[in-house]
Amino acid sequence: MRYDRSRRILVTGGAGFLGSHLCQRLLNDGHEVLCVDNFYTGLRSNITPLLGHPRFELKRHDVTFPLYVEVDEIYNLACPASPIHYQADPVQTTKTNVLGAINMLGLAKRTKAKIFQASTSEVYGDPEVHPQTENYWGRVNPIGFRSCYDEGKRCAETLFFDYRRQHDLSIKVARIFNTYGPRMHPNDGRVVSNVIVQALRGENITIYGDGHQTRSFCYVDDLIDGFLNLMSSSDEITGPINLGNPAEFTIKELAEIVVALTGSSSQLEYQPLPPDDPRQRKPDIAKAEQYLGWSPKIGLREGLHDTIAYFKTVI
């Protein structure tokens, strides 16, 4: 969805997987883009094609510190999103979620900018409700290995809605379900990248648990459409709104599809399930369909085809 006029838009975490795709789309729609990243997990290669663009600016910055810029809109995507990366420095992960939200909300308050928060399906934890609707409060371990991310994102949502109530900020909160596509980090530890990389290398494919736990996989182009639709919706639509593909697959099914698409000789190798790993994950996207006119269009096999082609170029 295109905007009615050009804006100066800040994207934190802009050199990451989702952030780089968002920057590209915003430039394509005629906006000025200020990409901010501390390159903890973001990659300069993700945004190299954008560096010469006259409406693109890159700034190395950590969102745990205040940022003094002038912008019309803010997309707050800054935070490691894979367990391997966010558990490597859990204190910093919590700071990125909480202090990052405070600093970006403060910037939005000063500049009167509309602000978008990239929240996550992890706020639902290991859910007792299936599929997950936005009014479900979740089942999250507050002191586990994943808590820095899960509870950090939950606290960020709290801050967004308190700033809305206390300062009348224009906010948008999206709860993102598993997303995949080109520019995923090969070593991010997420299931799609893990399975594709192992299949392409002919290694055994690691399956945690019995492989019957489920996920719903959304292709990145569909997700970015959801971001833009939410951001351009009326101020009354604040979210949180689930954005994801409701087609549900077991992890074993995903691995078998990737093996077939790559022609790999890899075998499945089963390992113990990590602590607090959700058994089921599927979004209810009725609100996104009703309020944003959004639903994903790209099926898993089609999206995996393009994702596999990308990984062939980087490993």
Side-chain angles (χ1 to χ4, degrees):
M1 179 178 292
R2 294 182 67 88
Y3 292 83
D4 57 355
R5 65 179 180 85
S6 176
R7 292 173 169 84
R8 178 166 169 78
I9 301 176
L10 166 64
V11 180
T12 72
F17 164 46
L18 297 181
S20 61
H21 282 276
L22 177 60
C23 288
Q24 178 68 72
R25 286 287 295 277
L26 292 171
L27 289 172
N28 290 349
D29 284 351
H31 301 291
E32 293 183 44
V33 174
L34 172 58
C35 169
V36 166
D37 207 296
N38 69 352
F39 292 98
Y40 176 61
T41 57
L43 298 174
R44 191 175 181 87
S45 59
N46 286 342
I47 54 168
T48 297
L50 309 181
L51 292 176
H53 197 290
R55 286 183 276 105
F56 181 79
E57 181 182 351
L58 172 63
K59 183 178 182 64
R60 183 185 289 268
H61 181 80
D62 190 317
V63 296
T64 60
F65 298 94
L67 181 63
Y68 302 101
V69 293
E70 303 301 321
V71 292
D72 301 308
E73 292 183 354
I74 302 166
Y75 285 85
N76 186 36
L77 276 59
C79 186
S82 73
I84 283 179
H85 292 147
Y86 69 64
Q87 292 174 16
D89 191 344
V91 172
Q92 184 64 24
T93 297
T94 302
K95 286 181 176 180
T96 300
N97 280 317
V98 178
L99 295 179
I102 290 171
N103 288 328
M104 291 306 107
L105 286 162
L107 175 61
K109 178 185 172 186
R110 181 180 66 79
T111 60
K112 297 180 171 55
K114 184 187 299 185
I115 182 167
F116 175 104
Q117 168 66 6
S119 191
T120 172
S121 60
E122 297 294 339
V123 301
Y124 300 122
D126 188 4
E128 301 158 301
V129 172
H130 191 76
Q132 291 80 59
T133 61
E134 291 88 348
N135 61 0
Y136 175 53
W137 290 355
R139 178 172 174 262
V140 176
N141 177 0
I143 58 171
F145 289 107
R146 302 170 70 102
S147 306
C148 57
Y149 186 73
D150 301 0
E151 295 287 43
K153 288 290 191 180
R154 285 162 69 94
C155 184
E157 286 196 15
T158 300
L159 287 161
F160 266 68
F161 281 90
D162 282 341
Y163 265 78
R164 165 80 171 180
R165 287 183 283 260
Q166 191 169 337
H167 302 296
D168 198 31
L169 252 61
S170 178
I171 68 165
K172 305 289 182 178
V173 177
R175 289 178 177 165
I176 302 167
F177 283 68
N178 291 63
T179 305
Y180 69 100
R183 301 182 205 156
M184 292 186 80
H185 198 296
N187 301 315
D188 68 4
R190 287 187 275 193
V191 62
V192 172
S193 51
N194 271 1
V195 170
I196 291 175
V197 168
Q198 289 175 328
L200 290 176
R201 289 175 173 164
E203 301 169 353
N204 284 346
I205 293 175
T206 306
I207 302 291
Y208 295 102
D210 59 11
H212 291 132
Q213 65 271 36
T214 66
R215 296 293 185 270
S216 301
F217 302 103
C218 186
Y219 190 66
V220 61
D221 289 354
D222 280 332
L223 186 75
I224 299 303
D225 284 341
F227 284 9
L228 300 180
N229 285 18
L230 177 55
M231 196 60 146
S232 62
S233 63
S234 69
D235 281 351
E236 289 71 32
I237 300 172
T238 60
I241 287 186
N242 290 338
L243 294 179
N245 193 321
E248 189 176 12
F249 295 86
T250 67
I251 301 301
K252 184 178 179 182
E253 286 174 329
L254 170 70
E256 290 170 346
I257 292 170
V258 169
V259 167
L261 290 175
T262 57
S264 176
S265 59
S266 297
Q267 302 296 310
L268 306 187
E269 180 179 295
Y270 294 88
Q271 299 288 343
L273 195 67
D276 301 324
D277 194 63
R279 293 162 296 176
Q280 290 182 303
R281 189 56 61 71
K282 174 182 176 178
D284 182 312
I285 62 168
K287 284 189 176 181
E289 292 174 325
Q290 178 182 354
Y291 297 120
L292 309 181
W294 178 87
S295 61
K297 303 293 188 293
I298 300 171
L300 182 61
R301 287 180 179 272
E302 180 185 354
L304 284 175
H305 181 272
D306 292 343
T307 308
I308 288 166
Y310 167 76
F311 274 107
K312 285 180 177 179
T313 69
V314 297
I315 66 169

